[in-house]
Amino acid sequence: MKCGFVTIIGKTNVGKSTFLNTFIGKKVSITSRKSQTTRSNIYAVKTTDSLQAIFIDTPGIHQRTEKAINKVLRKKPLEAINDIDVILYMVSGTKFDQVDQDALNLIKNSTAKKILLINKIDLVADKSVLFEFVRNLEEKNLFESIIPISSEKELGFDIVLDELGKVLPENDLFYPPEGFDFQSINFEISELIREKVIRFLGDELPYETAIFLEGVSDSKSHLDINALIYVAKQSQKKIVIGADGSKIKQIGTNARKELENHLGRKVNLTLWCKVKKNWLDNPITLESLGIKN
Ligand SMILES: Nc1nc2c(ncn2[C@@H]2O[C@H](COP(=O)(O)OP(=O)(O)OP(=O)(O)O)[C@@H](O)[C@H]2O)c(=O)[nH]1
Ligand SMILES: [Mg+2]
């Protein structure tokens, strides 16, 4: 068997979490079209007849540096390349800029095998541009292979699997073939709620929200979940609640449906919004939210 650890790294919004979910066939990492969706290193395992890959999805690389949360999130991909067998570096379409180049400089000296995934090729109309892009990146002499994929349309996945089979080391299985739940149920619950908050809010606000799970209690017929949506300012609370509570109701209904689907049982979800001033810059609040080094 081939078995080892595979870290997915790339700029925010390139589709790392979407790739992980579709590649392993299970939703383990929340996704959205907004930037900085993933805030923790998320583990998930895929086992086939010939290999086992333990994936680590990481927060996207970005240029924000001003707040404590940014400093914590910037370290996550770097934590996830220690003692790793393979790095999947992901870009979106034929976009490659200085942030990508800086990231490649950081991973260059890692002993891990590096594979470049060009995601969202369903959006690249002119395939000759893609061809040229691959040729330019080949000149960097950094990657074992460069694979165009579409995480949404599941294109190129067989090639990714083949290449992982080539570069992963020979090992016995680390985890049972039927799978392994790395993240706690409470973490999954707060992430699924956060996904709905991000998806149903406008563009800048999602980055300034967090979910604090106040309580999860089991009554025979259903699960009672109480959660707080933290925002950083009073004006943001108004937006989250919406006219006559319509926005928070929409978020709650969608989150409850997804939670019921995910947990396979009835859920009673109570959501409140609370202003937690400057939480993005407060190390103690960040730690209480599980966002820590
Ligand atoms: N068209 C298209 N869209 C995609 C593809 N893969 C991902 N997306 C979209 O890209 C957006 C970002 O996806 P995510 O998976 O959340 O991106 P990410 O890289 O994990 O982002 P961060 O967690 O912020 O670093 C979502 O709206 C996805 O639906 C793809 O192959 N094709
Ligand atoms: Mg992500």
Side-chain angles (χ1 to χ4, degrees):
M1 281 300 270
K2 298 293 196 76
C3 179
F5 285 81
V6 181
T7 294
I8 312 165
I9 292 182
K11 284 194 306 185
T12 183
N13 226 19
V14 296
K16 299 177 294 299
S17 306
T18 307
F19 168 76
L20 180 65
N21 292 339
T22 44
F23 196 70
I24 69 164
K26 189 176 164 196
K27 181 160 173 177
V28 288
S29 194
I30 64 167
T31 66
S32 87
R33 62 173 188 83
K34 318 276 168 65
S35 64
Q36 286 188 266
T37 300
T38 306
R39 285 184 181 157
S40 317
N41 289 346
I42 309 280
Y43 286 68
V45 58
K46 181 178 179 79
T47 310
T48 69
D49 290 344
S50 56
L51 67 80
Q52 180 170 77
I54 302 105
F55 289 97
I56 310 171
D57 179 24
T58 61
I61 297 167
H62 57 87
Q63 284 167 313
R64 279 185 156 128
T65 54
E66 71 276 26
K67 303 252 164 69
I69 189 172
N70 304 125
K71 293 186 188 109
V72 175
L73 295 190
R74 279 164 75 89
K75 286 189 191 151
K76 296 278 165 200
L78 293 174
E79 287 166 12
I81 58 170
N82 287 328
D83 285 332
I84 226 71
D85 302 296
V86 183
I87 295 172
L88 297 178
Y89 191 82
M90 183 177 283
V91 293
S92 168
T94 52
K95 290 181 212 126
F96 186 95
D97 63 17
Q98 194 55 43
V99 181
D100 291 300
Q101 188 53 55
D102 292 346
L104 292 191
N105 290 342
L106 285 176
I107 64 174
K108 196 168 61 188
N109 296 325
S110 153
T111 52
K113 299 279 200 296
K114 298 157 199 86
I115 294 173
L116 182 79
L117 297 183
I118 303 174
N119 192 30
K120 307 196 191 182
I121 54 155
D122 51 296
L123 299 179
V124 182
D126 187 347
K127 298 297 181 234
S128 66
V129 176
L130 184 62
F131 195 69
E132 187 61 26
F133 184 67
V134 172
R135 257 217 332 244
N136 284 337
L137 286 164
E138 270 170 353
E139 281 169 13
K140 294 193 183 293
N141 279 329
L142 186 61
F143 302 107
E144 302 290 319
S145 51
I146 297 177
I147 312 171
I149 64 167
S150 167
S151 298
E152 252 180 32
K153 309 258 187 268
E154 304 191 20
L155 298 173
F157 282 13
D158 46 346
I159 305 172
V160 177
L161 211 49
D162 276 356
E163 290 299 319
L164 287 176
K166 286 183 204 160
V167 294
L168 282 171
E170 301 224 351
N171 274 318
D172 290 333
L173 293 189
F174 293 155
Y175 292 95
E178 60 274 15
F180 187 82
D181 291 327
F182 290 89
Q183 280 75 230
S184 73
I185 288 285
N186 280 10
F187 177 79
E188 287 180 8
I189 290 172
S190 64
E191 285 289 271
L192 287 175
I193 299 171
R194 194 165 64 85
E195 182 183 76
K196 300 304 171 233
V197 171
I198 295 174
R199 288 190 180 185
F200 287 103
L201 288 178
D203 271 343
E204 182 58 19
L205 191 48
Y207 160 74
E208 306 224 332
T209 56
I211 302 299
F212 182 74
L213 215 52
E214 280 206 303
V216 178
S217 58
D218 206 340
S219 61
K220 268 195 192 112
S221 58
H222 62 273
L223 207 58
D224 269 311
I225 301 173
N226 288 303
L228 288 177
I229 303 170
Y230 280 168
V231 290
K233 295 178 205 144
Q234 189 63 34
S235 57
Q236 296 171 334
K237 182 171 172 177
K238 279 202 189 116
I239 301 172
V240 170
I241 291 174
D244 295 330
S246 55
K247 186 54 84 181
I248 198 165
K249 193 168 170 203
Q250 183 188 33
I251 292 167
T253 307
N254 281 276
R256 179 183 50 76
K257 281 185 192 152
E258 174 126 13
L259 287 167
E260 287 182 339
N261 202 9
H262 189 77
L263 301 167
R265 56 182 306 194
K266 281 252 166 269
V267 166
N268 185 8
L269 174 64
T270 311
L271 277 184
W272 298 94
C273 183
K274 186 172 173 175
V275 180
K276 189 95 181 161
K277 278 212 173 101
N278 299 325
W279 72 265
L280 295 110
D281 216 8
N282 182 338
I284 297 167
T285 314
L286 289 177
E287 187 138 1
S288 74
L289 292 167
I291 306 169
K292 57 188 176 205
N293 290 328

